[in-house]
Amino acid sequence: MRIADFALERFFARWEFAVRHLLCASDVEGWRMADLVALADDETAALWANLRLGYTEAPGHPLLRAEIATLYDTIEADDVLVFAGAEEAIFCLSNVLLGPGDHAVVTWPGYQSLYQVGRAAGADVSLHELREADGWALDAERLIASIRPGTRLVVVNAPHNPTGMLPPAAEWARLTGELADRRIHLLADEVYRFLEFDPADRLPAGADAFPRGVSLGVMSKSFAMAGLRIGWLATRDRGLLARCAAFKDYTTICSSAPAEILALIGLRARDIVLERSRRIVATNLDHLDRFFAEHADRLSWVRPRGGSIAFPRLLDPEPIDAFAARLVEAEGVLLLPGSQFGFEGNHFRIGFGREDMPQALAGLERFLGRSVRE
Ligand SMILES: Cc1ncc(COP(=O)(O)O)c(C=O)c1O
């Protein structure tokens, strides 16, 4: 397989561990393992203490799959397949569903693998562009109009990376209803699910919406445990899941034994885990509201509706790539220019899931103060 470089991941490979403040991270501040293990119940504490480091069950630990299933309304443990992060799940599903002659539609700008893997597999992939002028809204009618006879898959990421877009329930129902009628698969990338700023905005999961709906989940974002590298697909289409399982034999075969148990502990304690993530995000959002209000002459943003990232725009004439390069040099604060998404204009991704965000923002603010607009 020949596949284009994943621009954002190459960017992070260069910078992530070399800067003082990552003001563009998409995850929530990672848990300390000792704090997580302290949340274990009797059963998971015993599983952790007695864990043997052999191969694990290929579809995922039965207790983990059962726990993941409780995140959905219509999903049973056998409707869940565990992967090494969301990334492996995207890779397997795209390869299973898409090949030469197939067509897919994917929200864009977005996480590159959601469209790149399908293209590398030989499919024709159309991008459903979200537009700042529309508040980055998903346009169900425009998306439906781009469906063709060969369309096999529609991919929607919501809450969305990088804009924080979250469709209203009616728009979501319009799209999922249409896909159900047309017997097209939906990959709902829900890795930021449970981080809706208003819980009333949480959408029905893709897997619950219709039988060919597939939900993509992961421990990395809302659950703040990216280092576990545990993700999953959930769908009532067991035939599709079986094909993904067969494909996974060529990638990781089975998950990491310690990571599975830690993910189980985290999901069983999800009230505590999610409450912590929401608290970090809400506190940081307050800072950002003030920041964007104070710097409205230099920066604009569409306030996100969920997740831990947004996609503001620098209004200065200076290109964002040059601005970001000077910022990281001067303050050790990293922004992610929109060019890493292949997106034209002066946008950048800002992340607000990290506990050092106020310090990172202070660095950006100092820098803005020094580099007065020409
Ligand atoms: C929308 C989206 N999907 C999938 C992923 C992949 O998640 P992971 O790195 O945990 O596999 C990411 C990570 O940034 C993402 O933002």
Side-chain angles (χ1 to χ4, degrees), residues 8-9 26-27 84-88 90 110-111 113-114 157 159-161 189-192 216 218-221 226 229-231 309 349:
L8 174 151
E9 297 297 350
S26 61
D27 58 348
E87 182 72 320
E88 187 192 24
I90 295 167
Y111 195 64
S113 53
L114 293 172
N157 166 221
H160 179 250
N161 172 7
D189 180 332
E190 297 163 355
V191 301
Y192 300 97
L216 173 67
V218 79
M219 295 306 292
S220 308
K221 312 294 182 183
R229 310 308 300 129
I230 291 284
I309 42 188
R349 186 172 85 180

Side-chain angles (χ1 to χ4, degrees), residues 180-233:
D181 289 348
R182 300 199 193 200
R183 304 172 68 77
I184 294 172
H185 281 100
L186 167 71
L187 174 61
D189 180 332
E190 297 163 355
V191 301
Y192 300 97
R193 195 158 187 259
F194 306 112
L195 281 185
E196 300 80 6
F197 306 153
D198 180 350
D201 289 341
R202 185 162 315 138
L203 296 173
D208 289 327
F210 66 107
R212 285 173 196 241
V214 184
S215 283
L216 173 67
V218 79
M219 295 306 292
S220 308
K221 312 294 182 183
S222 326
F223 297 103
M225 299 175 200
L228 293 183
R229 310 308 300 129
I230 291 284
W232 59 86
L233 293 176

Side-chain angles (χ1 to χ4, degrees), residues 81-341:
L81 186 59
V82 177
F83 289 91
E87 182 72 320
E88 187 192 24
I90 295 167
F91 189 78
C92 291
L93 183 87
S94 302
N95 273 289
V96 162
L97 274 181
L98 298 174
D102 296 329
H103 175 244
V105 185
V106 182
T107 44
W108 186 83
Y111 195 64
Q112 191 173 338
S113 53
L114 293 172
Y115 55 90
Q116 201 73 56
V117 179
R119 284 182 176 162
D124 183 8
V125 179
S126 306
L127 302 176
H128 175 71
E129 183 173 347
L130 308 179
R131 298 168 181 158
E132 185 186 32
D134 304 335
W136 303 120
L138 180 84
D139 183 338
E141 295 310 328
R142 181 160 53 88
L143 196 158
I144 290 165
S146 65
I147 289 174
R148 310 175 191 161
T151 305
R152 300 271 166 270
L153 177 68
V154 169
V155 180
V156 176
N157 166 221
H160 179 250
N161 172 7
T163 66
M165 175 279 291
L166 184 60
E171 196 78 4
W172 186 237
R174 169 78 185 99
L175 178 65
T176 55
E178 185 73 25
L179 297 179
D181 289 348
R182 300 199 193 200
R183 304 172 68 77
I184 294 172
H185 281 100
L186 167 71
L187 174 61
D189 180 332
E190 297 163 355
V191 301
Y192 300 97
R193 195 158 187 259
F194 306 112
L195 281 185
E196 300 80 6
F197 306 153
D198 180 350
D201 289 341
R202 185 162 315 138
L203 296 173
D208 289 327
F210 66 107
R212 285 173 196 241
V214 184
S215 283
L216 173 67
V218 79
M219 295 306 292
S220 308
K221 312 294 182 183
S222 326
F223 297 103
M225 299 175 200
L228 293 183
R229 310 308 300 129
I230 291 284
W232 59 86
L233 293 176
T235 178
R236 286 173 274 166
D237 184 345
R238 289 200 185 166
L240 175 66
L241 223 49
R243 290 165 64 204
C244 291
F247 196 90
K248 200 180 102 169
D249 291 341
Y250 287 101
T251 52
T252 60
I253 304 174
C254 64
S255 296
S256 144
E260 284 197 323
I261 304 306
L262 294 169
L264 178 59
I265 295 170
L267 286 176
R268 285 194 178 174
R270 62 177 173 264
D271 288 351
I272 296 170
V273 169
L274 291 173
E275 201 277 325
R276 170 187 174 276
S277 298
R278 289 183 192 127
R279 183 170 31 79
I280 294 172
V281 162
T283 306
N284 285 340
L285 261 179
D286 285 345
H287 288 287
L288 288 181
D289 281 331
R290 178 206 51 83
F291 174 80
F292 283 110
E294 272 176 25
H295 298 282
D297 56 331
R298 312 269 308 268
L299 298 162
S300 71
W301 81 328
V302 176
R303 196 178 194 270
R305 293 186 354 114
S308 44
I309 42 188
F311 204 43
R313 184 153 55 92
L314 176 70
L315 303 175
D316 289 5
E318 180 177 17
I320 184 64
D321 291 82
F323 179 91
R326 289 198 301 118
L327 171 67
V328 77
E329 177 73 23
E331 293 286 346
V333 170
L334 190 70
L335 295 176
L336 179 68
S339 55
Q340 299 301 323
F341 291 94

